[in-house]
Amino acid sequence: MNNLNEKRILITGASRGIGEAIARHFAKLGFFTILVARTEIDLARVKREIINSGGKADYVVSDLSSEEEANNLSQKVTLNFGFVEYIVLNAGISTNSVFLSQTNSNFQQELWVNYLAPLLFLKNILNEMVEKKQGKIVTISSIAGLLPFPGNSTYAASKAALISLSITMNIEFKKHNIYIGSVLPGLTKTSMTKDYESFVLPFSEPEEIARCVEEAFQYEKTIVIPGIFNNVITTLYKHFPEPLNILLSSLTSIFIPSPATK
Ligand SMILES: NC(=O)c1ccc[n+]([C@@H]2O[C@H](COP(=O)([O-])OP(=O)(O)OC[C@H]3O[C@@H](n4cnc5c(N)ncnc54)[C@H](OP(=O)(O)O)[C@@H]3O)[C@@H](O)[C@H]2O)c1
């Protein structure tokens, strides 16, 4: 069991990409980091590297596309680490395929990992947070939850659901001294966006998203959108959706990069 005064943070999807960067960032800030993902070999590598740089880390292997495992995660975490005050619900997948090419199994996996597993996890941990009047949660959604993302309609919908859940729950749980915010990255350099590498659009580095998560926790911001370009485009879309819809329709082929996904 950890030192009870030590701040603990749980990060889902911490085996690579944005989640790994968040874990490294918070380990540097002195947090005990609890890493969650499916791939043990990657989790063990991140844990080892954090410890080798003087930080503290451990991991839990969990497949958040399975209802049973998503439901059990909170129990496993409490059993192994006790109460965890800081939570980052980052794990996510994008099937990156047009609507009619998707299978029912694709739809369900995406919805589970991106929306239902975070929802279930929150349902399981919030009672203890309410009792303790203590808890800080950040979800990693996407600007795709606010903008059309051609070729990724079901991903965008799952991310929109996560934003709605976070902003409404933040209001509901404020009276219990619990904060729930959401960070909405745009394109970020990770394995998720390898099909988009040739895009001329600006990409964020995963470390920038990690800094935004710290900012969200520090100032208890409801929504943080990393990067000037992503802020400009989401503001423009909010005020002038129709011209941007026309522009995006003409660019659809660019957003669906691989012939295999058409
Ligand atoms: N990259 C972007 O441009 C971008 C933009 C906006 C939002 N986001 C969001 O940022 C988050 C992180 O994305 P990323 O770019 O870092 O993607 P990534 O490099 O593909 O990493 C995804 C992480 O989620 C974990 N994961 C995937 N399926 C899982 C499952 N069934 N159960 C448990 N963990 C699972 C992966 O680990 P395992 O495979 O080991 O399970 C990995 O650690 C996602 O929610 C994504 O939607 C990304």
Side-chain angles (χ1 to χ4, degrees):
M1 185 66 71
N2 301 292
N3 172 354
L4 286 177
N5 295 321
E6 180 174 62
K7 281 188 180 165
R8 269 160 271 179
I9 186 165
L10 175 140
I11 305 125
T12 66
S15 60
R16 60 172 187 268
I18 292 173
E20 176 179 349
I22 297 169
R24 288 177 185 282
H25 184 85
F26 280 85
K28 273 195 202 130
L29 295 175
F31 282 74
F32 183 97
T33 53
I34 302 159
L35 322 168
V36 180
R38 289 168 304 179
T39 317
E40 185 158 14
I41 192 166
D42 292 334
L43 289 169
R45 174 189 56 81
V46 179
K47 172 182 168 176
R48 192 174 54 246
E49 288 175 7
I50 287 178
I51 291 173
N52 287 346
S53 349
K56 293 179 192 152
D58 206 343
Y59 63 79
V60 178
V61 177
S62 181
D63 181 352
L64 298 170
S65 67
S66 137
E67 179 172 0
E68 198 186 341
E69 283 199 41
N71 205 19
N72 289 341
L73 177 62
S74 56
Q75 240 182 326
K76 278 197 212 169
V77 170
T78 311
L79 212 65
N80 288 303
F81 306 103
F83 178 70
V84 181
E85 185 184 355
Y86 289 78
I87 307 286
V88 184
L89 297 170
N90 161 77
I93 52 169
S94 163
T95 50
N96 190 20
S97 80
V98 287
F99 188 75
L100 288 177
S101 309
Q102 296 229 33
T103 61
N104 288 354
S105 148
N106 281 161
F107 288 146
Q108 285 176 17
Q109 266 211 343
E110 204 171 43
L111 198 60
W112 259 105
V113 181
N114 296 354
Y115 176 63
L116 290 171
L119 184 152
L120 207 56
F121 183 73
L122 289 178
K123 174 112 177 30
N124 290 337
I125 58 161
L126 274 164
N127 277 328
E128 194 178 358
M129 286 188 165
V130 167
E131 248 171 55
K132 290 191 163 21
K133 287 207 157 297
Q134 190 184 356
K136 293 178 190 293
I137 299 150
V138 166
T139 61
I140 305 296
S141 181
S142 166
I143 59 167
L146 303 178
L147 297 169
F149 188 10
N152 275 285
S153 54
T154 54
Y155 171 80
S158 68
K159 291 297 183 180
L162 191 60
I163 298 171
S164 281
L165 183 79
S166 309
I167 61 178
T168 305
M169 285 182 68
N170 188 40
I171 291 171
E172 283 183 18
F173 284 86
K174 221 174 197 67
K175 63 175 182 283
H176 299 294
N177 193 36
I178 293 165
Y179 155 73
I180 305 169
S182 196
V183 172
L184 280 53
L187 286 169
T188 306
K189 276 187 205 152
T190 69
S191 56
M192 185 178 275
T193 50
K194 58 182 183 316
D195 284 343
Y196 299 108
E197 269 163 9
S198 56
F199 269 34
V200 283
L201 295 172
F203 276 72
S204 300
E205 294 293 335
E207 292 71 24
E208 183 183 352
I209 315 303
R211 287 193 293 275
C212 289
V213 173
E214 184 190 352
E215 181 190 327
F217 280 132
Q218 190 174 1
Y219 301 107
E220 302 208 338
K221 290 191 172 174
T222 312
I223 285 194
V224 180
I225 298 177
I228 294 170
F229 175 80
N230 297 325
N231 277 283
V232 170
I233 192 86
T234 46
T235 307
L236 276 177
Y237 190 76
K238 188 172 165 194
H239 297 291
F240 309 103
E242 289 317 327
L244 277 168
N245 283 338
I246 292 166
L247 180 70
L248 282 167
S249 310
S250 65
L251 296 175
T252 297
S253 58
I254 298 174
F255 282 94
I256 306 168
S258 154
T261 61
K262 282 182 187 169

